[in-house]
Amino acid sequence: MTTTVVGYPRIGSHRELKFAVQKYFKNEISAQELSDIAAGLRQSNWQTIADAGIDTPVSNDFSYYDQTLDTACLLNIVPERYLKLELSPLDQYFAQARGYQGAKGDVKALPMKKWFNTNYHYLVTEFEDATDIKVVGTKIFEEYAEAKAEGFSTRPVIVGPYTLLKNAKFTGVKRPFDYAEDLVKAYSEIFAKLVSLGADWIQIDEPALVKDQTEEDLTLFNDIYRPLLDAKGDLKVLLQTYFGDIRDSYQLLTELDFDGFGLDFVEGTETLKTLKSEGFPEDKTLFAGVINGKNIWKAHYVSKLSLIDIIQKYAKDVVLTTSCSLQHVPYTVKNEVKLTNDKLKYLAFAEEKLTELVELDQRKEDALKANDALFSQPRYEENQAILDKVDALKPSDFNREPSRAERAKIQKAEFDLPELPTTTIGSFPQTAEVRRNRSKFKKGEITKEQYDQFNRDQIKACVEYQEEIGIDVLVHGEFERNDMVEYFGEKLEGFIFTSHAWVQSYGTRCVKPPIIWGDVARTQPVTVAESVYAQSLTDKPVKGMLTGPVTILNWSFPREDLSFKESTYQLALALQDEVLDLEANGIKIIQIDEAALREKLPLRQSDWYRKYLDWAIPAFRLVASKVQASTQIHTHMCYSEFDDIIQAIDDMDADVISFEASRSDLSILDTLQADQFETHAGPGVYDIHSPRVPSEEEIATTIRKISDKLPLDNIWINPDCGLKTRGVEETGPSLVNLVAATKLVRSELATHEG
Ligand code: GLN
Ligand code: ZN
């Protein structure tokens, strides 16, 4: 066998690309300097991959911002409004990525969407009726040639035409089929050019194939690929899939004239089954994705080798590879100087995964032995009490009594809130001083007492401010939190933290997820002190503020030796203790944020409940199931596309939910209305992602729209999301307008009723 990878991270092991691109944005470096830094990063990737002993590295997996945008630009699929700016190709590219405001115009960025089931976000390609598809870019050719000149014989990769179309937006009357012919022409031209440069293979990424495929989808695929493969000439074409299996297209695909198929044996739960039942074409190469491209754990060689043995029974020509691009994992464990070897020896980031592929390929005895030794000992000490608690869970543990309708009556009497109660999502601006206080404490420049006192002063000012402007249900402001997941991870048992394990989330933004290392347990109160202090300052209710179990799981690196369901139940039990502790200490409203509930929703709709919602929703319910009827449970979600899972969200059985709505034109209201959504709801009345201050009238208009569609008793008034990324300058006026608008609508409603 030989070895390869689907793709490699590109942001730089110390985020060099992020910083360089940001400097370019600020005009601190030139396009040439940026290009030199990028070339250095590519060179270092190829060298690392070659040094590890991988047979074939890839090229064109580098990107200044996003590979989908790269492909669109290569093919001249650039909306008119950006073309009109007449910028250099690089600046036109960045204008689409992040918007342009300057001498030549004012244009917003392309919309961004989650890249399948990852936390990476791509820029949505926009096809207009006038889009003139042709090969205008040079990046793929230049990077192939650059690698070759440096002595690396690579397989260039590109996002495939089918995935490009499936992930795109169509602004005119033309539909995907209308672009097929031009795409075929353009990709054929790319093939020819690559052959002339000396390429043997091309890798075409078509992850869209792992979703449920309709007849029409398969026809589109067929219409594109039959003629395209006729034009491949001497080039060998690898059809690369990832993030799942291709059970519904396998037959069609293997009949087409591809030279190789990249299949995911990690997330593709039916890949092996399909291989066994359908076989594999004799004259083709199987690129077997056996090493997990998303997780950070070392692979267990014994089980991987037995998988490889089975694969080899069905395919003669096998190349070992990763399950998806390694862009979803950090660079290397070598940078983690703070973790000790008893932890490090279990971790494999991108660079270490290269070694795993080579060791699996070579089956060298000492490597296999060492790996086996690692897995023959327990990695961590189990927390038997927690395991028993999860085992003992029974249906009633997930059920809150009495019913939501009953609770609503009790809570109405309990809180006596005005009609259209106002609140915020939790965080207040994290000013420079707030961040400085944290960093001083981390560096040991101030004591814990000084650190806490500063935050208490912030809480006090925040509570007083909310009282002063007339908000009904207050928050403490979350000044003690750097990140809504890391904060809980640090206080719960079972997590470990890295110092450099950054993963690209989009463009120049990276995240550093905590790692769930062992059984999760709550050994101390997490949020009680801050909440109780805030509540002591006011007679109005102050919301306790927690991050929900599903969101903590989804924004961490999960364990591989325990199911997501069990891990999430452990988290839920820890949070349940926190909820009950808050309640016992006089906190009467508790918000449990599920900002990332949608993150791991399976790509195939047919799997939504069976594989995800059937435990994710109960996990949330478990957290809140034991509180008194008079305690009000809120939740919050950071997006508005939940039309398709609306029932599941109502089934979370929260009393109140707040969510993002203002950017999507409140279209969600119709769904809430149609589904007779029971949870009381606060659709965000203004967009906190922008520094713009919404006027009183603008917010009043939004509130009127909401009150037209939802029962008045069910409505809450709040912004879209937390305010932590906003400045104080815009937050104050926006909230003042929110309260004024609410009062205005209240009085309008009163006159109507009167
Ligand atoms: N309570 C959190 C905050 O206000 C929620 C953040 C989020 O939804 N991402 O910041
Ligand atoms: Zn949010």
Side-chain angles (χ1 to χ4, degrees), residues 425 484 593 595 636-639 658-660 688-689 720-722:
I425 307 304
M484 65 188 286
D593 290 326
H636 164 74
M637 284 176 193
C638 277
Y639 44 81
S658 61
F659 53 87
E660 190 178 307
I688 63 91
H689 302 90
D720 253 357
C721 190

Side-chain angles (χ1 to χ4, degrees), residues 76-87 92 128:
N76 199 37
I77 309 171
V78 177
E80 185 61 30
R81 57 186 186 280
Y82 301 104
L83 292 172
K84 275 208 297 231
L85 297 171
E86 296 189 351
L87 300 166
Q92 185 189 76
E128 300 174 324

Side-chain angles (χ1 to χ4, degrees), residues 34-44 46 62 64 146 150:
L34 176 60
S35 154
D36 292 345
I37 292 169
L41 291 170
R42 289 192 290 266
Q43 209 272 339
S44 130
W46 289 320
F62 173 82
Y64 279 124
E146 177 184 295
E150 286 166 13

